[in-house]
């Protein structure tokens, strides 16, 4: 079965389950929204381009900056774990860690540049949007949840731009836990519904599927096609060989782990 046919079959199954559900929860990235780049980590290369002429960036190649951005997220998570016992962090904490590595880089400007790049590359994933619209047509409560370092206000803005306005939005960096750690139960509590009457729709079996079942929801996973995730065998000419290797390894690792905490998982793969 091809990736596209598997996704269509999963979409039909999710649609049938949605018709019976009393409420619905949706993953955000790669379910309702997707990044129009070679691999999620490619966003960091674009941030490098955005900031290449700013203070502190002199001498940093694209590949060097991608490594630095991923390493900074790992360091920020370690720092959080040592201080508080958890690993959920926000974008500002990542850029603060990056600033400690390269003091010449302005962390506030870096965070703004990353949000600007994300805003430019984000587009809709039609399969997820169609299911969201159906849930709204049915009039059932709808929540969105994301394991992500961007703030809920930032993500809410991206969703609103494509006419997605959930009844509740939860982001792991603000809640202190992710979908695999019970975040979906928080969605049910906020919506005032029973978990067992709900359905969670996402793109990762390891994160969305396991997290939903652990919280008592029906899980429906719609995998995205390999064309949206994996780097081609021959890298585009616009990328240097070193960065292309980073992207290929990161993309394959992303497909294996499926975590919303993309830089943490990718960082383990590369650094």
């Amino acid at each position: 079965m091809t990736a596209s046919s598997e996704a269509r079959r999963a979409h039909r199954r999710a649609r049938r389950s949605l018709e019976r559900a009393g409420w619905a929860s949706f993953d955000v990235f790669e379910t309702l929204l997707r990044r129009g780049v070679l691999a999620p980590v490619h966003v960091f290369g674009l941030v490098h381009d955005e900031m290449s002429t700013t203070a502190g960036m002199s001498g940093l190649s694209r590949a060097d900056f991608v490594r630095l951005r991923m390493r900074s997220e790992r360091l920020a998570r370690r720092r959080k774990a040592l201080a508080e016992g958890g690993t959920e962090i926000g974008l500002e904490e990542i850029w603060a860690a990056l600033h400690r590595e390269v003091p010449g880089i302005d962390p506030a400007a870096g965070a703004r540049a990353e949000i600007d790049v994300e805003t430019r590359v984000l587009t809709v994933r039609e399969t997820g949007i169609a299911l969201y619209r159906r849930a709204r047509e049915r009039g059932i409560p709808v929540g969105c949840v994301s394991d992500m370092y961007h703030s809920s206000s930032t993500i809410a803005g991206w969703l609103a731009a494509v006419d997605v306005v959930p009844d509740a939005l939860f982001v792991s960096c603000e809640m202190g836990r992710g979908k695999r750690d019970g975040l979906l139960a928080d969605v049910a509590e906020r919506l005032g519904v029973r978990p067992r009457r709900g359905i969670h729709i996402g793109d990762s079996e390891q994160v969305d599927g396991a997290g939903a079942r652990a919280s008592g929801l029906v899980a429906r996973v719609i995998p995205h096609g390999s064309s949206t995730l994996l780097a081609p065998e021959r890298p585009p000419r616009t990328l240097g060989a070193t960065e292309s290797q980073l992207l290929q390894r990161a993309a394959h690792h992303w497909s294996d782990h499926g975590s919303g905490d993309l830089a943490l998982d990718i960082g383990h793969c590369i650094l």
Side-chain angles (χ1 to χ4, degrees):
M1 183 183 297
T2 66
S4 59
S5 61
E6 181 183 356
R8 286 193 295 271
R9 181 178 178 181
H11 181 269
R12 290 193 295 269
R13 188 182 182 205
R15 174 64 184 257
R16 290 193 297 269
S17 297
L18 182 60
E19 296 299 322
R20 300 189 296 269
W23 66 279
S25 168
F26 289 86
D27 170 50
V28 177
F29 293 94
E30 306 305 329
T31 299
L32 296 174
L33 301 175
R34 61 174 295 271
R35 296 175 174 93
V37 293
L38 186 66
V41 71
H42 197 188
V43 167
F44 304 154
L46 297 176
V47 173
H48 168 273
D49 297 348
E50 184 91 355
M51 300 184 65
S52 60
T53 61
T54 63
M57 294 291 288
S58 178
L60 272 177
S61 69
R62 229 174 179 236
D64 287 340
F65 179 80
V66 169
R67 289 194 191 93
L68 175 63
R69 169 60 179 76
M70 292 190 294
R71 171 177 165 79
S72 298
E73 182 168 347
R74 290 184 67 194
L75 292 174
R77 291 184 188 278
R78 288 178 183 173
R79 187 184 183 95
K80 187 68 168 281
L82 290 172
E84 302 178 20
T87 60
E88 295 297 336
I89 55 174
L91 189 64
E92 292 76 13
E93 292 168 281
I94 295 171
W95 278 90
L98 192 149
H99 176 70
R100 287 190 289 270
E101 294 287 294
V102 184
I105 295 178
D106 181 351
R112 288 195 300 270
E114 187 163 336
I115 291 172
D116 288 345
V117 168
E118 292 270 26
T119 301
R120 290 201 306 270
V121 303
L122 282 172
T123 184
V124 299
R125 188 178 180 202
E126 293 294 347
T127 52
I129 291 294
L131 292 169
Y132 167 81
R133 289 172 180 159
R134 178 55 189 157
R136 283 309 197 193
E137 288 171 0
R138 290 197 57 222
I140 61 176
V142 173
C144 287
V145 58
S146 181
D147 287 358
M148 182 50 72
Y149 41 74
H150 287 298
S151 69
S152 58
S153 60
T154 296
I155 295 174
W158 289 331
L159 290 172
V162 294
D163 297 322
V164 173
V165 183
D167 298 311
L169 171 61
F170 289 88
V171 184
S172 62
C173 69
E174 296 174 352
M175 299 302 296
R177 60 176 176 169
K179 283 174 277 192
R180 286 176 289 194
D181 302 316
L183 183 54
L184 289 167
D186 295 335
V187 178
E189 182 177 356
R190 172 70 66 86
L191 294 175
V193 294
R194 289 178 291 177
R196 65 183 181 83
R197 296 196 63 234
I199 178 175
H200 176 70
I201 297 171
D203 69 295
S204 167
E205 177 57 41
Q206 294 90 339
V207 179
D208 296 292
R213 286 188 289 271
S215 293
L217 286 75
V218 171
R220 290 293 177 259
V221 175
I222 306 176
H224 38 72
S226 59
S227 62
T228 67
L229 179 66
L230 300 181
E233 291 184 5
R234 177 172 294 178
R237 284 179 293 178
T238 54
L239 300 180
T242 302
E243 186 185 359
S244 299
Q245 292 165 4
L246 284 172
L247 290 174
Q248 279 210 328
R249 292 172 65 189
H252 284 281
H253 189 72
W254 172 266
S255 67
D256 290 340
H257 289 257
S259 172
D261 300 326
L262 64 94
L264 175 65
D265 283 341
I266 294 170
H268 281 300
C269 172
I270 296 173
L271 299 182

